[in-house]
Amino acid sequence: MAKKIISGSTGAMTVFANGRELNDVTSVTLPDVEMPTTEIKGAGIMGTLNIPQTGQVNAMTVEITLRRTGKDKAYLMAQGKVDIEVRMATDVRASDGSMYVEGTKIFATGYATKIGNGKAEPGSTRDESVSYSVTRYREIIDGEETMLIDQESKVFKVGGKDRMREVRSILY
């Protein structure tokens, strides 16, 4: 029988931009991965179907939220292209009752597109943010690559399966 696991919360996190550790990060919103679709209708189909377009991925966005204005925000905005790395430690419980920590690393390459200046409120953090248009996204969980999307190189791998291999072989 397979070992059942229950993933818990993120216990700790570190965020880097171009190799520099950011100190005021409160959260990182990771991108949704969405394939655009084409609506198909006609004989042999009851109604319409939305079929994913092979080789296409919609725009992806990563948002870094900061406690306050400061050097981290200034650094993030002064960069052109930014390589973001997020390291997370997640608590996991196995079916045998044992507990362990699982590591996740997220890598994203993008360009700043939006500054959220947050709010000014006594007793609260500013909750400022910087959003990035992402062209490359990679996720590694416990040393295993679970996802790699590189829009400029036409790479889309999920769980080790290269969904763009056939397309690249046709195009190149």
Side-chain angles (χ1 to χ4, degrees), residues 112-131:
T113 59
K114 178 181 173 185
I115 303 168
N117 287 312
K119 63 183 183 304
E121 179 181 343
S124 295
T125 58
R126 289 269 308 260
D127 295 330
E128 299 180 13
S129 62
V130 180
S131 296

Side-chain angles (χ1 to χ4, degrees), residues 68-132:
R68 64 174 177 88
T69 190
K71 292 180 181 179
D72 284 348
K73 179 179 160 187
Y75 177 79
L76 289 170
M77 292 311 302
Q79 308 304 303
K81 178 177 128 183
V82 176
D83 290 315
I84 299 163
E85 180 179 348
V86 181
R87 299 177 188 173
M88 296 176 280
T90 303
D91 298 320
V92 178
R93 181 185 180 278
S95 55
D96 63 6
S98 62
M99 297 285 293
Y100 61 97
V101 177
E102 185 175 78
T104 299
K105 289 184 179 180
I106 304 290
F107 301 91
T109 300
Y111 304 86
T113 59
K114 178 181 173 185
I115 303 168
N117 287 312
K119 63 183 183 304
E121 179 181 343
S124 295
T125 58
R126 289 269 308 260
D127 295 330
E128 299 180 13
S129 62
V130 180
S131 296
Y132 294 91

Side-chain angles (χ1 to χ4, degrees), residues 66 142 170:
L66 306 160
D142 234 12
I170 291 168

